[in-house]
Amino acid sequence: MKILQVENLHKSFGHLEVLKGIDMEVMQGEVVTIIGRSGSGKSTLLRCINFLEQPTHGKVMVDGLSVIVERHKLSRDQKQSIHEIRLRTGMVFQEFNLFPHLSVIENLIEAPVIVKRMKKKEAIGIAEMYLDKVGMSAKRNEFPNRLSGGQKQRVAIARALTMQPKVMLFDEPTSALDPELIGEVLEVMRQLADDGMTMLVVSHEMSFAHDVSHRVVFMEEGIIAEEGPPEQLLDDPKNPKTRMFLQRIIGEKQEE
């Protein structure tokens, strides 16, 4: 079943056009990794899907809810649909964005209680379930400044899951981590994929893209230049720009 779709999606910042007509479909349970150079539009695409950035033009559909943007001003119905889409999409950023004055468990229940108006007891039960899932139950009462980067990111993943989204969006979730901490976050993401979570992942972690993704998308200058199964796109890319990008990434990894 198709759970996410964008059609002819454009996004401009002033005179700079960052997305130039993106068409994409994602099936329920599919893991899609998006790769590409810095500035190719990867993060902007994710932010337009959950309307952290309002698209300039185009259609976004998540879990049967659609918003078509044709002009800058949105109608009341469109704003309501955007609110519902945000509830269905969990977002994990490069930086962890945890509230420093709240404990781990308080970080997790903040949105369900305030946004979903969930009873606190129910929210705590759901939060504890997801903390256990990411291996952070023992840190439930700690504050973020007492956690490592990997632990903070696992808490951030649990916080997104506590809203019980239909789709998870990961925007370079390991890029701010020390190399020795990357594995623990990728392992949580692998587990989510195994559980059937629909995931869009912007990442340069090629081993994850190869082993976990159902499909890899290569973006270049605001368009999808190539996409396909990981064994095709990563091992035998057809587009010369894809090939050049992968050679550069492999070279950087070898230097590390």
Side-chain angles (χ1 to χ4, degrees):
M1 183 180 78
K2 182 169 59 182
I3 195 165
L4 187 152
Q5 181 179 24
V6 298
E7 291 182 8
N8 194 28
L9 194 69
H10 292 255
K11 175 60 182 177
S12 296
F13 296 95
H15 296 297
L16 177 63
E17 190 176 24
V18 177
L19 299 179
K20 303 174 182 178
I22 300 292
D23 293 305
M24 175 187 287
E25 292 184 355
V26 180
M27 307 305 287
Q28 187 170 352
E30 191 176 16
V31 178
V32 178
T33 298
I34 305 171
I35 64 174
R37 294 185 302 175
S38 178
S40 61
K42 309 181 303 296
S43 296
T44 300
L45 174 59
L46 292 195
R47 294 173 71 87
C48 283
I49 287 171
N50 72 350
F51 287 88
L52 283 175
E53 297 284 357
Q54 184 180 314
T56 305
H57 177 84
K59 174 184 174 182
V60 176
M61 185 280 288
V62 177
D63 192 31
L65 281 165
S66 295
V67 175
I68 299 173
V69 179
E70 295 177 328
R71 59 182 185 273
H72 183 67
K73 191 169 183 179
L74 298 172
S75 69
R76 181 179 298 179
D77 288 344
Q78 285 177 310
K79 289 178 181 177
Q80 181 59 37
S81 293
I82 288 170
H83 175 72
E84 295 295 330
I85 283 175
R86 285 175 175 158
L87 293 178
R88 287 161 166 76
T89 53
M91 184 92 173
V92 178
F93 301 89
Q94 298 177 36
E95 301 296 337
F96 323 114
N97 294 337
L98 299 176
F99 295 116
H101 63 289
L102 299 180
S103 68
V104 164
I105 193 74
E106 289 169 339
N107 263 280
L108 265 66
I109 68 172
E110 181 87 352
V113 169
I114 293 176
V115 179
K116 286 185 142 183
R117 303 189 185 281
M118 191 181 289
K119 293 262 197 283
K120 186 174 180 180
K121 184 176 180 181
E122 181 185 358
I124 289 174
I126 294 171
E128 288 176 337
M129 176 178 69
Y130 286 115
L131 281 178
D132 182 62
K133 190 171 192 65
V134 303
M136 290 297 293
S137 294
K139 302 290 186 181
R140 73 188 300 280
N141 295 317
E142 295 282 5
F143 285 81
N145 65 352
R146 299 289 300 273
L147 304 178
S148 70
Q151 289 172 333
K152 289 176 184 176
Q153 195 62 294
R154 284 189 281 156
V155 170
I157 293 171
R159 179 177 61 179
L161 291 170
T162 301
M163 290 294 282
Q164 300 179 299
K166 300 290 187 179
V167 178
M168 284 286 285
L169 309 175
F170 292 87
D171 187 9
E172 300 198 36
T174 61
S175 65
L177 300 179
D178 293 332
E180 66 271 17
L181 302 177
I182 290 173
E184 64 188 68
V185 173
L186 292 180
E187 182 56 34
V188 168
M189 294 169 64
R190 289 173 189 267
Q191 292 172 8
L192 290 179
D194 289 343
D195 291 343
M197 173 61 74
T198 307
M199 298 162 58
L200 257 69
V201 183
V202 170
S203 180
H204 287 169
E205 296 296 331
M206 294 302 149
S207 60
F208 176 90
H210 198 286
D211 297 343
V212 181
S213 302
H214 297 94
R215 185 157 42 104
V216 179
V217 170
F218 172 67
M219 289 187 64
E220 174 76 7
E221 297 182 353
I223 65 168
I224 294 176
E226 186 173 2
E227 62 180 307
E231 59 272 15
Q232 179 269 304
L233 189 138
L234 297 178
D235 297 339
D236 187 25
K238 307 304 180 189
N239 189 314
K241 290 185 177 180
T242 312
R243 198 173 303 120
M244 288 176 60
F245 170 78
L246 291 171
Q247 288 171 349
R248 182 173 65 81
I249 291 295
I250 292 168
E252 289 175 356
K253 291 290 184 184
Q254 289 174 341
E255 288 175 8
E256 292 174 4

